Amino acid sequence: MRVIPIPAQAGITGFESPAAEYCQLAMSLDELLVEHPSSTFLGIAQGESMQDVGIFDGDMIIVDRFETPRHGDVIVANFNGEFVCKILDMHHRLLLSSNQRFHPVTIHEYDDFSIEGVVTRSIRCHRQSPLLVVK
């Protein structure tokens, strides 16, 4: 992978050719983004409930099943048959959104609840990838 060392700021009006200087790194995006390949899956975020932590509708989320969930982690869980992406409040047994328009959800003893994994990364695609189109 080639990394071009250009600090770009919003409102940038121009810069020298990116081909002028670059350095070669001996790594792939897989190595950079996925720590436990055999226990990692990708998901597509839906809705606006996690936008204040930077996860927007249509973003790709990288979910690691190997990681032990901790209080305050963003997780993917199966909650009563529905996959949800929420912040885990272990102290109060709550699933929290990061958008104030959504109320906390209490995890009751009678709920069917299982944590599927910890969200370790999110990726925003500015152009839709043909690989992500659901047919």
Side-chain angles (χ1 to χ4, degrees), residues 39-112:
S39 61
T40 299
F41 66 92
L42 301 176
I44 303 296
Q46 293 181 335
E48 301 173 348
S49 71
M50 298 303 290
Q51 66 186 16
D52 291 346
V53 293
I55 300 174
F56 294 87
D57 187 56
D59 284 357
M60 187 180 330
I61 54 176
I62 300 174
V63 184
D64 193 334
R65 291 178 177 218
F66 182 82
E67 293 291 331
T68 301
R70 296 184 296 221
H71 176 76
D73 275 345
V74 176
I75 61 161
V76 169
N78 185 332
F79 183 72
N80 295 326
E82 182 179 348
F83 282 103
V84 296
C85 178
K86 298 291 177 193
I87 298 168
L88 180 62
D89 181 337
M90 296 177 97
H91 304 307
H92 300 102
R93 295 185 52 87
L94 295 173
L95 295 175
L96 306 172
S97 297
S98 72
N99 182 332
Q100 291 184 8
R101 295 185 323 166
F102 297 86
H103 299 288
V105 175
T106 302
I107 306 166
H108 297 285
E109 296 294 328
Y110 55 80
D111 285 318
D112 182 16

Side-chain angles (χ1 to χ4, degrees), residues 9-21:
Q9 300 177 4
I12 192 167
T13 58
F15 51 87
E16 72 177 75
S17 170
E21 290 185 34

Side-chain angles (χ1 to χ4, degrees), residues 1-5 21-28:
M1 171 194 316
R2 294 181 180 183
V3 176
I4 302 170
E21 290 185 34
Y22 69 89
C23 57
Q24 187 82 18
L25 293 182
M27 72 168 61
S28 69

